[in-house]
Amino acid sequence: MTSVAGVACGQSAAVAVGPLDPQIASALKQVSSARIQANIEQLVGFGTRSTLSAQDAASIAAGHGIGAAREWIKSQLENYSRDCGGCLEVRSDSFLEGRGERIPQPTEITNVYAVLKGTDAEIAPQIIVVSGHYDSRNSDTLDTTAAAPGANDDGSGTAVSLECARVLSQLKFRSTIIFLTVAGEEQGLNGSRHFAQMARSNGWKIQAVLNNDIVGGDRSPQQDPSLVRVFSEGIPSTANESDLKQLRSLGGETDSPSRQLARYVVETSRTYPSTVQPLLVFRLDRYLRGGDHMAFNQQGYAAVRFTEFREDYHHQHQTPRIENGTEYGDLLKFVDFDYIAAVARLNAAVMASLASAPAPPTKVYLQTKQLENDSTLSWEASPAAAGYEVLWRQTTAADWEQLQSAGNQTRVTLPQSKDNVIFAVRAFDSFGHRSLPVVPVSEP
Ligand SMILES: [Zn+2]
Protein backbone atom coordinates (compact mmCIF):
# COMPACT_ATOMS: atom_id res chain seq x y z
CA MET A 1 0.00 0.00 0.00
CA THR A 2 1.46 3.31 -1.05
CA SER A 3 0.30 6.83 -1.44
CA VAL A 4 0.84 9.27 -4.29
CA ALA A 5 -0.02 12.91 -3.66
CA GLY A 6 -2.92 12.19 -1.36
CA VAL A 7 -4.30 9.29 -3.38
CA ALA A 8 -4.10 6.69 -0.68
CA CYS A 9 -4.48 2.94 -0.74
CA GLY A 10 -4.05 0.60 -3.69
CA GLN A 11 -0.97 -0.53 -5.48
CA SER A 12 1.06 2.17 -7.14
CA ALA A 13 2.83 0.62 -10.07
CA ALA A 14 3.24 1.05 -13.78
CA VAL A 15 0.00 -0.55 -14.92
CA ALA A 16 0.55 -3.37 -17.43
CA VAL A 17 -1.73 -5.72 -19.40
CA GLY A 18 -0.78 -8.69 -17.26
CA PRO A 19 2.11 -11.13 -16.87
CA LEU A 20 4.05 -12.07 -19.98
CA ASP A 21 2.24 -14.87 -21.82
CA PRO A 22 4.95 -17.17 -23.24
CA GLN A 23 2.77 -18.15 -26.21
CA ILE A 24 2.29 -14.52 -27.18
CA ALA A 25 5.98 -13.75 -26.61
CA SER A 26 7.01 -16.61 -28.86
CA ALA A 27 4.60 -15.47 -31.62
CA LEU A 28 6.11 -11.96 -31.44
CA LYS A 29 9.54 -13.47 -32.08
CA GLN A 30 8.23 -14.80 -35.40
CA VAL A 31 7.62 -11.28 -36.76
CA SER A 32 10.20 -10.94 -39.51
CA SER A 33 11.64 -7.73 -40.93
CA ALA A 34 12.78 -9.72 -43.99
CA ARG A 35 9.20 -10.78 -44.73
CA ILE A 36 7.97 -7.25 -44.15
CA GLN A 37 10.62 -6.00 -46.58
CA ALA A 38 9.64 -8.59 -49.21
CA ASN A 39 5.97 -7.65 -48.87
CA ILE A 40 6.62 -3.92 -49.24
CA GLU A 41 8.91 -4.58 -52.25
CA GLN A 42 6.07 -6.54 -53.82
CA LEU A 43 3.58 -3.70 -53.17
CA VAL A 44 5.96 -1.08 -54.61
CA GLY A 45 6.46 -3.37 -57.63
CA PHE A 46 2.88 -2.75 -58.77
CA GLY A 47 4.06 0.69 -59.97
CA THR A 48 1.04 2.59 -58.73
CA ARG A 49 -1.66 1.57 -56.27
CA SER A 50 -3.77 4.65 -56.90
CA THR A 51 -7.39 3.79 -56.14
CA LEU A 52 -8.18 5.18 -59.60
CA SER A 53 -5.57 3.01 -61.36
CA ALA A 54 -6.16 -0.09 -63.50
CA GLN A 55 -8.16 -3.06 -62.22
CA ASP A 56 -8.82 -4.85 -65.54
CA ALA A 57 -7.76 -8.46 -66.04
CA ALA A 58 -4.87 -7.59 -68.36
CA SER A 59 -3.35 -5.12 -65.87
CA ILE A 60 -3.78 -7.63 -63.04
CA ALA A 61 -2.01 -10.26 -65.16
CA ALA A 62 0.74 -7.73 -65.97
CA GLY A 63 1.16 -6.93 -62.26
CA HIS A 64 0.38 -3.24 -62.59
CA GLY A 65 -2.09 -1.07 -60.67
CA ILE A 66 -4.36 -1.41 -57.65
CA GLY A 67 -6.21 -4.45 -59.00
CA ALA A 68 -2.97 -6.45 -59.06
CA ALA A 69 -2.11 -5.26 -55.54
CA ARG A 70 -5.53 -6.34 -54.29
CA GLU A 71 -5.26 -9.82 -55.81
CA TRP A 72 -1.75 -10.27 -54.39
CA ILE A 73 -2.84 -9.27 -50.86
CA LYS A 74 -5.71 -11.74 -51.09
CA SER A 75 -3.34 -14.53 -52.18
CA GLN A 76 -0.96 -13.75 -49.28
CA LEU A 77 -3.78 -14.01 -46.75
CA GLU A 78 -4.91 -17.26 -48.39
CA ASN A 79 -1.35 -18.63 -48.04
CA TYR A 80 -1.34 -17.80 -44.32
CA SER A 81 -4.69 -19.52 -43.99
CA ARG A 82 -3.37 -22.66 -45.67
CA ASP A 83 -0.50 -22.67 -43.17
CA CYS A 84 -2.93 -22.69 -40.23
CA GLY A 85 -5.27 -25.35 -41.59
CA GLY A 86 -7.76 -22.87 -43.04
CA CYS A 87 -8.09 -20.88 -39.81
CA LEU A 88 -8.55 -17.57 -41.67
CA GLU A 89 -11.62 -16.60 -43.62
CA VAL A 90 -10.34 -14.34 -46.43
CA ARG A 91 -12.82 -11.84 -47.82
CA SER A 92 -12.85 -9.21 -50.60
CA ASP A 93 -15.54 -6.60 -50.16
CA SER A 94 -16.07 -4.48 -53.30
CA PHE A 95 -18.38 -1.50 -53.60
CA LEU A 96 -18.94 1.29 -56.09
CA GLU A 97 -17.92 4.70 -54.76
CA GLY A 98 -19.78 7.54 -56.48
CA ARG A 99 -18.21 10.64 -58.00
CA GLY A 100 -16.52 12.98 -55.54
CA GLU A 101 -13.89 15.68 -55.27
CA ARG A 102 -11.07 13.14 -55.69
CA ILE A 103 -13.09 10.52 -57.59
CA PRO A 104 -13.79 11.80 -61.13
CA GLN A 105 -15.99 8.82 -62.06
CA PRO A 106 -17.74 6.07 -60.09
CA THR A 107 -14.97 3.67 -59.05
CA GLU A 108 -14.96 0.17 -57.64
CA ILE A 109 -13.09 0.05 -54.33
CA THR A 110 -12.18 -3.21 -52.60
CA ASN A 111 -11.28 -3.90 -48.98
CA VAL A 112 -9.40 -7.16 -48.48
CA TYR A 113 -9.32 -8.79 -45.07
CA ALA A 114 -8.94 -12.01 -43.13
CA VAL A 115 -11.00 -13.06 -40.12
CA LEU A 116 -9.50 -15.19 -37.34
CA LYS A 117 -12.61 -16.34 -35.52
CA GLY A 118 -12.58 -16.34 -31.71
CA THR A 119 -12.76 -19.70 -29.96
CA ASP A 120 -14.97 -18.69 -27.01
CA ALA A 121 -18.62 -18.66 -28.06
CA GLU A 122 -19.49 -15.93 -25.56
CA ILE A 123 -16.57 -13.65 -26.42
CA ALA A 124 -16.06 -14.39 -30.14
CA PRO A 125 -18.52 -11.62 -31.18
CA GLN A 126 -15.95 -9.11 -29.84
CA ILE A 127 -13.64 -8.03 -32.65
CA ILE A 128 -10.14 -6.54 -32.67
CA VAL A 129 -9.07 -4.92 -35.97
CA VAL A 130 -5.62 -4.05 -37.34
CA SER A 131 -5.71 -1.93 -40.47
CA GLY A 132 -3.49 -0.37 -43.13
CA HIS A 133 -4.37 1.18 -46.50
CA TYR A 134 -2.92 -0.46 -49.60
CA ASP A 135 -3.71 2.38 -51.99
CA SER A 136 -1.01 4.97 -52.73
CA ARG A 137 -0.69 8.32 -54.48
CA ASN A 138 1.95 10.63 -55.93
CA SER A 139 1.98 14.45 -56.23
CA ASP A 140 -1.29 14.37 -58.18
CA THR A 141 -4.07 12.56 -56.35
CA LEU A 142 -5.87 12.03 -59.69
CA ASP A 143 -2.84 10.54 -61.48
CA THR A 144 -3.53 6.91 -62.40
CA THR A 145 -0.39 5.82 -64.27
CA ALA A 146 2.84 7.46 -63.04
CA ALA A 147 4.83 5.79 -60.26
CA ALA A 148 3.30 6.02 -56.77
CA PRO A 149 5.51 3.60 -54.79
CA GLY A 150 3.91 4.26 -51.38
CA ALA A 151 6.57 2.22 -49.57
CA ASN A 152 5.90 4.05 -46.30
CA ASP A 153 2.40 5.45 -47.03
CA ASP A 154 1.04 2.95 -46.62
CA GLY A 155 3.03 -0.07 -47.73
CA SER A 156 4.29 -0.10 -44.15
CA GLY A 157 0.81 -0.30 -42.57
CA THR A 158 -0.32 -2.91 -45.10
CA ALA A 159 2.76 -4.97 -44.24
CA VAL A 160 1.90 -4.69 -40.52
CA SER A 161 -1.60 -6.09 -41.14
CA LEU A 162 -0.18 -8.93 -43.26
CA GLU A 163 2.61 -9.85 -40.83
CA CYS A 164 0.21 -9.79 -37.86
CA ALA A 165 -2.08 -12.12 -39.84
CA ARG A 166 0.77 -14.53 -40.57
CA VAL A 167 2.05 -14.67 -37.00
CA LEU A 168 -1.17 -14.49 -34.97
CA SER A 169 -2.96 -17.07 -37.15
CA GLN A 170 -0.63 -19.62 -35.53
CA LEU A 171 -2.43 -19.06 -32.19
CA LYS A 172 -6.00 -19.31 -30.96
CA PHE A 173 -7.80 -16.45 -29.22
CA ARG A 174 -11.05 -15.98 -27.35
CA SER A 175 -12.05 -12.89 -29.37
CA THR A 176 -12.16 -12.51 -33.13
CA ILE A 177 -9.33 -10.67 -34.91
CA ILE A 178 -9.68 -9.01 -38.32
CA PHE A 179 -6.58 -8.26 -40.40
CA LEU A 180 -7.78 -5.48 -42.68
CA THR A 181 -6.33 -3.70 -45.71
CA VAL A 182 -8.44 -0.93 -47.22
CA ALA A 183 -8.28 1.20 -50.37
CA GLY A 184 -9.54 4.70 -51.14
CA GLU A 185 -7.76 6.27 -48.15
CA GLU A 186 -6.02 8.87 -50.31
CA GLN A 187 -9.28 9.72 -52.13
CA GLY A 188 -11.16 10.37 -48.85
CA LEU A 189 -11.11 7.40 -46.43
CA ASN A 190 -13.59 5.61 -48.69
CA GLY A 191 -12.62 2.03 -47.87
CA SER A 192 -12.49 2.48 -44.10
CA ARG A 193 -15.76 4.43 -44.08
CA HIS A 194 -17.47 1.64 -46.02
CA PHE A 195 -16.06 -1.00 -43.65
CA ALA A 196 -16.94 0.92 -40.46
CA GLN A 197 -20.48 1.64 -41.67
CA MET A 198 -20.93 -2.00 -42.69
CA ALA A 199 -19.68 -3.10 -39.26
CA ARG A 200 -22.06 -0.70 -37.50
CA SER A 201 -25.08 -1.71 -39.57
CA ASN A 202 -24.29 -5.40 -38.97
CA GLY A 203 -23.99 -4.74 -35.22
CA TRP A 204 -20.36 -5.88 -35.10
CA LYS A 205 -18.89 -5.42 -31.63
CA ILE A 206 -15.54 -3.92 -32.62
CA GLN A 207 -13.61 -3.33 -29.39
CA ALA A 208 -10.46 -1.82 -30.84
CA VAL A 209 -9.04 -0.66 -34.17
CA LEU A 210 -5.28 -0.26 -34.61
CA ASN A 211 -4.69 1.83 -37.73
CA ASN A 212 -1.10 1.80 -38.99
CA ASP A 213 -0.42 4.56 -41.49
CA ILE A 214 3.15 5.74 -42.20
CA VAL A 215 4.98 3.44 -39.78
CA GLY A 216 8.02 3.12 -42.06
CA GLY A 217 10.45 4.91 -39.74
CA ASP A 218 11.73 7.21 -42.51
CA ARG A 219 15.53 7.20 -42.33
CA SER A 220 15.96 10.98 -42.20
CA PRO A 221 18.66 12.04 -39.69
CA GLN A 222 16.15 13.70 -37.35
CA GLN A 223 14.13 10.50 -36.98
CA ASP A 224 13.82 8.91 -33.54
CA PRO A 225 13.49 5.19 -34.31
CA SER A 226 12.81 4.39 -30.66
CA LEU A 227 9.34 6.00 -30.78
CA VAL A 228 6.05 5.46 -32.56
CA ARG A 229 3.27 7.99 -32.09
CA VAL A 230 -0.18 6.77 -31.08
CA PHE A 231 -2.91 9.32 -31.84
CA SER A 232 -6.30 9.09 -30.14
CA GLU A 233 -9.39 11.28 -30.10
CA GLY A 234 -10.41 13.01 -26.84
CA ILE A 235 -14.07 13.95 -26.98
CA PRO A 236 -15.71 11.15 -28.99
CA SER A 237 -16.88 12.09 -32.49
CA THR A 238 -20.26 10.61 -31.59
CA ALA A 239 -20.77 12.56 -28.31
CA ASN A 240 -24.25 14.09 -28.19
CA GLU A 241 -25.43 17.17 -26.28
CA SER A 242 -26.03 15.25 -23.08
CA ASP A 243 -22.59 13.57 -23.28
CA LEU A 244 -20.98 16.98 -23.75
CA LYS A 245 -22.94 18.39 -20.81
CA GLN A 246 -21.59 15.62 -18.59
CA LEU A 247 -18.02 16.11 -19.86
CA ARG A 248 -18.22 19.82 -19.10
CA SER A 249 -19.54 19.16 -15.64
CA LEU A 250 -17.44 16.21 -14.43
CA GLY A 251 -14.41 16.01 -16.71
CA GLY A 252 -13.70 12.97 -18.81
CA GLU A 253 -12.48 14.88 -21.87
CA THR A 254 -9.50 12.58 -21.91
CA ASP A 255 -11.28 9.29 -21.19
CA SER A 256 -12.81 8.32 -24.51
CA PRO A 257 -12.73 4.60 -25.40
CA SER A 258 -10.04 5.45 -27.98
CA ARG A 259 -7.88 6.96 -25.27
CA GLN A 260 -8.30 3.86 -23.08
CA LEU A 261 -7.11 1.87 -26.07
CA ALA A 262 -4.10 4.21 -26.48
CA ARG A 263 -3.23 3.67 -22.79
CA TYR A 264 -3.60 -0.07 -23.31
CA VAL A 265 -0.91 0.18 -26.02
CA VAL A 266 1.49 1.69 -23.47
CA GLU A 267 0.54 -0.94 -20.88
CA THR A 268 1.21 -3.63 -23.48
CA SER A 269 4.70 -2.24 -24.11
CA ARG A 270 5.41 -2.73 -20.38
CA THR A 271 4.50 -6.41 -20.53
CA TYR A 272 6.19 -6.99 -23.93
CA PRO A 273 9.08 -4.47 -24.08
CA SER A 274 10.43 -3.65 -27.53
CA THR A 275 12.94 -1.37 -29.27
CA VAL A 276 10.07 0.94 -30.20
CA GLN A 277 8.11 2.71 -27.45
CA PRO A 278 4.64 4.15 -27.97
CA LEU A 279 4.44 7.93 -27.56
CA LEU A 280 0.86 8.90 -26.75
CA VAL A 281 -0.42 11.99 -28.54
CA PHE A 282 -3.74 13.14 -27.14
CA ARG A 283 -5.02 14.43 -30.49
CA LEU A 284 -7.20 12.93 -33.22
CA ASP A 285 -4.47 13.21 -35.88
CA ARG A 286 -1.68 15.46 -37.11
CA TYR A 287 -2.33 19.00 -38.43
CA LEU A 288 -3.72 19.03 -42.00
CA ARG A 289 -3.98 15.23 -42.09
CA GLY A 290 -6.46 12.47 -41.40
CA GLY A 291 -6.65 8.70 -41.50
CA ASP A 292 -8.76 5.58 -41.43
CA HIS A 293 -9.11 5.48 -37.63
CA MET A 294 -11.36 8.54 -37.95
CA ALA A 295 -13.88 6.59 -40.05
CA PHE A 296 -14.17 4.10 -37.16
CA ASN A 297 -14.39 6.87 -34.53
CA GLN A 298 -17.29 8.34 -36.50
CA GLN A 299 -19.16 5.05 -36.06
CA GLY A 300 -18.51 5.12 -32.31
CA TYR A 301 -15.64 2.59 -32.27
CA ALA A 302 -12.41 2.92 -30.29
CA ALA A 303 -9.64 3.46 -32.85
CA VAL A 304 -6.10 4.82 -32.70
CA ARG A 305 -3.48 5.71 -35.28
CA PHE A 306 0.16 4.57 -35.25
CA THR A 307 2.59 6.83 -37.15
CA GLU A 308 6.39 7.15 -37.13
CA PHE A 309 7.85 9.83 -34.85
CA ARG A 310 8.98 12.22 -37.60
CA GLU A 311 7.59 12.33 -41.13
CA ASP A 312 9.62 13.53 -44.11
CA TYR A 313 7.24 15.31 -46.49
CA HIS A 314 9.66 14.92 -49.40
CA HIS A 315 8.98 11.20 -49.09
CA GLN A 316 5.16 11.23 -49.05
CA HIS A 317 2.57 12.00 -51.74
CA GLN A 318 5.42 12.87 -54.14
CA THR A 319 6.04 11.83 -57.72
CA PRO A 320 9.55 10.33 -57.62
CA ARG A 321 12.05 12.89 -59.01
CA ILE A 322 15.17 14.85 -58.17
CA GLU A 323 14.79 18.61 -57.93
CA ASN A 324 17.62 20.99 -57.00
CA GLY A 325 19.55 18.06 -55.58
CA THR A 326 16.65 16.85 -53.37
CA GLU A 327 15.20 13.41 -53.99
CA TYR A 328 11.41 13.17 -53.74
CA GLY A 329 9.27 10.05 -53.56
CA ASP A 330 7.95 7.42 -51.14
CA LEU A 331 10.76 5.00 -51.98
CA LEU A 332 11.89 1.69 -50.48
CA LYS A 333 15.31 3.04 -49.61
CA PHE A 334 13.87 5.54 -47.12
CA VAL A 335 12.08 2.84 -45.11
CA ASP A 336 13.49 1.08 -42.03
CA PHE A 337 12.24 -2.53 -42.07
CA ASP A 338 13.47 -3.33 -38.56
CA TYR A 339 11.45 -0.39 -37.27
CA ILE A 340 8.31 -1.63 -39.05
CA ALA A 341 8.88 -5.09 -37.56
CA ALA A 342 9.04 -3.57 -34.06
CA VAL A 343 5.80 -1.66 -34.70
CA ALA A 344 4.21 -4.89 -35.98
CA ARG A 345 5.29 -6.66 -32.77
CA LEU A 346 3.70 -3.94 -30.65
CA ASN A 347 0.46 -4.20 -32.66
CA ALA A 348 0.47 -7.99 -32.43
CA ALA A 349 1.08 -7.85 -28.67
CA VAL A 350 -1.85 -5.46 -28.17
CA MET A 351 -4.16 -7.61 -30.29
CA ALA A 352 -3.07 -10.89 -28.72
CA SER A 353 -3.49 -9.48 -25.21
CA LEU A 354 -6.92 -8.02 -25.91
CA ALA A 355 -8.11 -11.10 -27.79
CA SER A 356 -6.99 -13.36 -24.91
CA ALA A 357 -8.72 -11.27 -22.24
CA PRO A 358 -12.25 -11.61 -20.89
CA ALA A 359 -14.85 -9.14 -22.10
CA PRO A 360 -14.60 -5.76 -20.35
CA PRO A 361 -17.10 -5.35 -17.51
CA THR A 362 -20.43 -3.77 -18.47
CA LYS A 363 -22.81 -1.44 -16.60
CA VAL A 364 -19.93 0.05 -14.65
CA TYR A 365 -21.47 2.50 -12.22
CA LEU A 366 -20.24 4.95 -9.63
CA GLN A 367 -22.63 5.71 -6.78
CA THR A 368 -23.23 9.42 -6.73
CA LYS A 369 -26.57 9.71 -4.90
CA GLN A 370 -25.16 11.22 -1.74
CA LEU A 371 -22.25 13.35 -0.58
CA GLU A 372 -19.57 11.05 0.81
CA ASN A 373 -15.79 10.76 0.74
CA ASP A 374 -15.67 7.04 -0.09
CA SER A 375 -16.34 5.83 -3.61
CA THR A 376 -18.47 2.79 -4.43
CA LEU A 377 -18.27 1.17 -7.85
CA SER A 378 -20.33 -1.70 -9.21
CA TRP A 379 -20.48 -3.58 -12.51
CA GLU A 380 -21.89 -6.64 -14.17
CA ALA A 381 -19.82 -9.82 -14.34
CA SER A 382 -18.21 -10.43 -17.71
CA PRO A 383 -17.81 -13.76 -19.50
CA ALA A 384 -14.56 -15.64 -18.73
CA ALA A 385 -13.52 -13.18 -16.00
CA ALA A 386 -11.67 -14.61 -13.01
CA GLY A 387 -11.71 -11.22 -11.32
CA TYR A 388 -11.70 -7.45 -11.61
CA GLU A 389 -9.42 -4.54 -10.86
CA VAL A 390 -10.18 -0.93 -10.17
CA LEU A 391 -7.72 1.53 -11.71
CA TRP A 392 -7.46 5.18 -10.85
CA ARG A 393 -5.40 8.26 -11.41
CA GLN A 394 -5.37 11.90 -10.54
CA THR A 395 -7.51 13.99 -12.89
CA THR A 396 -4.40 15.63 -14.34
CA ALA A 397 -2.46 12.41 -14.94
CA ALA A 398 -2.08 11.00 -18.45
CA ASP A 399 -2.09 7.34 -17.46
CA TRP A 400 -3.48 5.04 -14.74
CA GLU A 401 -1.45 5.38 -11.54
CA GLN A 402 -2.92 2.93 -9.05
CA LEU A 403 -4.87 -0.25 -8.99
CA GLN A 404 -6.62 -2.48 -6.54
CA SER A 405 -7.96 -5.95 -7.10
CA ALA A 406 -11.63 -6.47 -6.33
CA GLY A 407 -11.19 -10.26 -6.44
CA ASN A 408 -14.25 -11.79 -8.04
CA GLN A 409 -16.59 -9.24 -6.44
CA THR A 410 -18.63 -6.95 -8.68
CA ARG A 411 -18.94 -4.15 -6.16
CA VAL A 412 -16.24 -2.38 -4.19
CA THR A 413 -15.92 0.66 -1.90
CA LEU A 414 -12.61 2.51 -1.90
CA PRO A 415 -11.52 5.09 0.64
CA GLN A 416 -10.90 7.85 -1.88
CA SER A 417 -13.07 10.62 -3.07
CA LYS A 418 -14.46 10.35 -6.59
CA ASP A 419 -14.11 14.12 -6.73
CA ASN A 420 -10.33 13.85 -6.82
CA VAL A 421 -9.60 10.95 -9.15
CA ILE A 422 -10.81 9.18 -12.29
CA PHE A 423 -11.72 5.51 -11.87
CA ALA A 424 -12.01 2.61 -14.28
CA VAL A 425 -12.69 -1.12 -13.93
CA ARG A 426 -11.17 -3.94 -15.98
CA ALA A 427 -11.53 -7.71 -15.99
CA PHE A 428 -8.84 -10.39 -15.95
CA ASP A 429 -8.87 -14.12 -16.63
CA SER A 430 -7.21 -16.90 -14.63
CA PHE A 431 -3.89 -16.34 -16.44
CA GLY A 432 -3.98 -12.57 -15.91
CA HIS A 433 -4.82 -11.23 -19.40
CA ARG A 434 -6.42 -7.81 -18.86
CA SER A 435 -9.42 -6.38 -20.73
CA LEU A 436 -9.77 -2.75 -21.73
CA PRO A 437 -10.82 -0.65 -18.73
CA VAL A 438 -14.26 0.91 -18.54
CA VAL A 439 -14.80 4.32 -16.92
CA PRO A 440 -17.95 4.35 -14.76
CA VAL A 441 -20.97 6.57 -15.21
CA SER A 442 -23.26 7.72 -12.39
CA GLU A 443 -25.58 5.00 -11.18
CA PRO A 444 -29.02 5.69 -12.66
ZN1 LIG B 1 -1.62 7.14 -45.51
Side-chain angles (χ1 to χ4, degrees), residues 379-382 385-389 405-412 428:
W379 53 91
E380 269 190 8
S382 43
Y388 306 89
E389 266 170 353
S405 176
N408 58 9
Q409 304 298 306
T410 56
R411 183 184 185 88
V412 68
F428 55 86

Side-chain angles (χ1 to χ4, degrees), residues 98-280:
R99 231 173 252 116
E101 198 190 331
R102 294 179 173 189
I103 301 187
Q105 59 247 339
T107 299
E108 186 172 88
I109 296 181
T110 304
N111 296 328
V112 185
Y113 59 99
V115 182
L116 179 62
K117 196 101 179 73
T119 55
D120 182 315
E122 267 189 301
I123 300 179
Q126 309 225 26
I127 301 170
I128 321 293
V129 179
V130 61
S131 182
H133 70 86
Y134 70 93
D135 62 311
S136 67
R137 58 164 290 181
N138 55 30
S139 303
D140 176 4
T141 187
L142 299 181
D143 181 296
T144 62
T145 51
N152 194 347
D153 186 11
D154 187 27
S156 63
T158 304
V160 168
S161 277
L162 287 174
E163 191 62 355
C164 287
R166 187 181 72 81
V167 161
L168 294 183
S169 58
Q170 300 300 318
L171 301 181
K172 304 239 176 287
F173 299 100
R174 285 200 166 106
S175 297
T176 295
I177 300 181
I178 292 181
F179 307 95
L180 174 63
T181 67
V182 299
E185 197 273 351
E186 302 291 7
Q187 312 310 121
L189 311 183
N190 310 94
S192 53
R193 188 175 304 115
H194 171 82
F195 186 94
Q197 285 173 346
M198 180 263 298
R200 180 52 74 199
S201 60
N202 288 344
W204 288 10
K205 293 180 180 162
I206 297 180
Q207 262 204 316
V209 178
L210 308 179
N211 173 36
N212 289 269
D213 195 352
I214 313 181
V215 292
D218 184 277
R219 294 175 183 274
S220 54
Q222 301 93 328
Q223 185 64 273
D224 185 342
S226 72
L227 292 173
V228 62
R229 290 179 290 173
V230 180
F231 291 86
S232 59
E233 69 173 2
I235 294 169
S237 315
T238 50
N240 60 26
E241 262 316 306
S242 111
D243 298 329
L244 294 174
K245 196 174 159 199
Q246 182 161 330
L247 290 177
R248 273 193 293 271
S249 148
L250 294 172
E253 300 90 344
T254 196
D255 279 283
S256 67
S258 297
R259 212 145 270 182
Q260 306 311 346
L261 174 58
R263 293 186 177 105
Y264 195 93
V265 174
V266 169
E267 291 156 14
T268 301
S269 74
R270 294 187 184 125
T271 299
Y272 301 96
S274 152
T275 52
V276 173
Q277 290 294 310
L279 172 71
L280 295 190

